[in-house]
Each structure stands twice: as structure tokens, then as C-alpha cells.
Amino acid sequence: MNDLLYHYIDPAFNHLEVNSYKLLLWVGDKKFSLAVMHHNKLMVWRKPAPLAELTQAGEVQEVLNFKYHEVITGISSSYFTLVAQSVFNESQVKDIARYLDVAPTDTVYAQPLDAFNQVIFKAPETLIQAIKSFDVTQAVFGPSGWIQAVEANQPSADELYLNVNDDRIEIAHFDKGRLNLFNTFEFTHQDELAYYAVFVCQQLKLDLRTLTVKLSGDIAAGDERYQHLLQDIFGAVSLNTLAVATLPEHLPQHQLLALTALSLCASLADV
């Protein structure tokens, strides 16, 4: 395995034992990332890379083609809607999906987001083609694991959770331990990220001065531009150090949270 392609490879990784490993694959419109887990321990972490590499011959294909014990593929989509579990009816999926501007070549999914909500989302043909070597019918909504991980940590209503994925920001707020709001926004500059965070809080009538912002996702070590901007607006800002896997201390937990949390989504596609 080429070390230059990966942020981390555990010294104990053994390709002859991959039948006991789990592959976690996150895919977005432009990029993908992956992790290989042994039980709850991180064995491999792949650098974010262009989506096209998933279909190109090379080292990545070798790793993807191992016969893993389990593969969980998370799809990051900005075309989705949430429906409360208490009122969800599977017969409504086609009607609801029309609001997502579904094209004939798109794939539509309907599955639990967490214990209280269903999510209906679509994936374009280009993304489906990139992961076609896996069972695409078993793909899950990419942010589901991140949301479940935060919920399980009993989040406060005085906290706002932001997860950065390339040029997209995912924002979640929880009240009484349950998801109160989840949405995604495209952004090109940190000022836009701050704008959307404030916009969400205004919609929920939250007091910015009492809120703590928890940041995770694609934020490089030492990159504090988001913190510097947001700390002038909110009560406090910090990186989200919540861990759902056993990681080496030197790895940035906030970057791995959403990816490793896909392990919490194992049964979503089967429900």
C-alpha cells in the first residue's frame, strides 16, 4: 500500500485479514474519502481525493477491491428532505421526491436518518457510476452517522454543529437531545459559512451570544480562519473532538468524525 496516498496506515494492517475489516466510503459530488476499520479501531485513512479516482486503475482500486467483512457507503447530497418518523408513509416517497427535481438518471433513496426522522435524497448518475462496484442499493445518507454520533453525546440546545465538506457546510441543531434542524449550504468563502450559520440561528430564534459552535470536517490542522471569524459572532467556537472510533492521538479527530461515524449506519439501508 502506497503511504503517499494515505493520511494513516496502522502498522498492524494486514491485507490477508481484510475479511475481518470494515470499509467506510464517503462520496460527494467531487471528492471521496475512505477509512478501513477493524472492529472500532482505525486501520487506514485515505486522503480526500477526486471522485474520478474511484473508477481509475491503480492503488485505490486495489484497496477498494479487497473482500471486506462489510462495506458502508455514505452519499453526500444537497438534494434531500426530512420527514418525521411519526408521520412517514412509504407510499409518499415518489410524491415527495418530485420536490428534489429528480432527473430520469438520478437514484432516489428513502431511509431512516436517525431514530426520529426519515430522509429522502437523490444521487446523480455520475456519483452512482463511481460506486457501482458496490451495492448501491445499500448506500446511506452521508451525514446520518455524524448526526447519530452527536445525538448519542446528548447535545445541548446551546450548541450549533457545523461539518465542513469541501465547498459545502452541514449545519445541525439539537433540542432535548433530538435533531431540531439539519440543512446544507454551498459556500465559496468563510464569510458565506458564517452567514449561513447566523441565518439558521435567526430562523430558530437562537441567541448567538449563548451558543457554542462545534466544528468538524475538512478543516486542516492550523487552519483557524473559521474559528477567528465565528468567535466574533458566537459565544464560543471549538473543534469537535467527539470520537466514535479508536484513533491515534496525533490524528485530527474533527476531520475523521463524519467518516468514521458511518459505522453507526450499518443497518439504515436495510430498515
Side-chain angles (χ1 to χ4, degrees), residues 4 17 33 35 52 69 89 96 103 109-110 128 138 147 153 164 177 187 201 219 236 239-240 251:
L4 297 178
E17 298 179 1
S33 59
H69 173 68
N89 189 321
I96 295 174
Y109 295 86
I128 295 298
Q138 296 296 299
I147 291 171
N153 200 48
V164 180
F187 75 99
C201 293
I219 303 173
L239 293 177
N240 193 338
L251 292 184

Side-chain angles (χ1 to χ4, degrees), residues 160 171 181 183 185 192-206 208 233-234:
L160 187 70
I171 303 179
L181 176 141
N183 210 342
F185 302 93
E192 294 177 328
L193 179 148
Y195 168 81
Y196 288 124
V198 171
F199 171 76
V200 164
C201 293
Q202 290 175 337
Q203 296 300 302
L204 295 176
K205 295 181 170 47
L206 301 174
L208 303 182
I233 303 172
F234 295 92

Side-chain angles (χ1 to χ4, degrees), residues 142-172:
S144 294
W146 176 66
I147 291 171
Q148 290 184 57
V150 174
E151 278 184 334
N153 200 48
Q154 299 180 328
S156 165
D158 290 330
E159 296 171 336
L160 187 70
Y161 289 82
L162 275 59
N163 190 59
V164 180
N165 281 321
D166 197 17
D167 56 359
R168 182 181 301 162
I169 180 70
E170 298 164 347
I171 303 179

Side-chain angles (χ1 to χ4, degrees), residues 123-140:
E125 183 180 22
T126 51
L127 193 152
I128 295 298
Q129 286 298 312
I131 59 173
K132 65 181 180 179
S133 59
F134 304 105
D135 184 357
V136 297
T137 65
Q138 296 296 299
V140 301

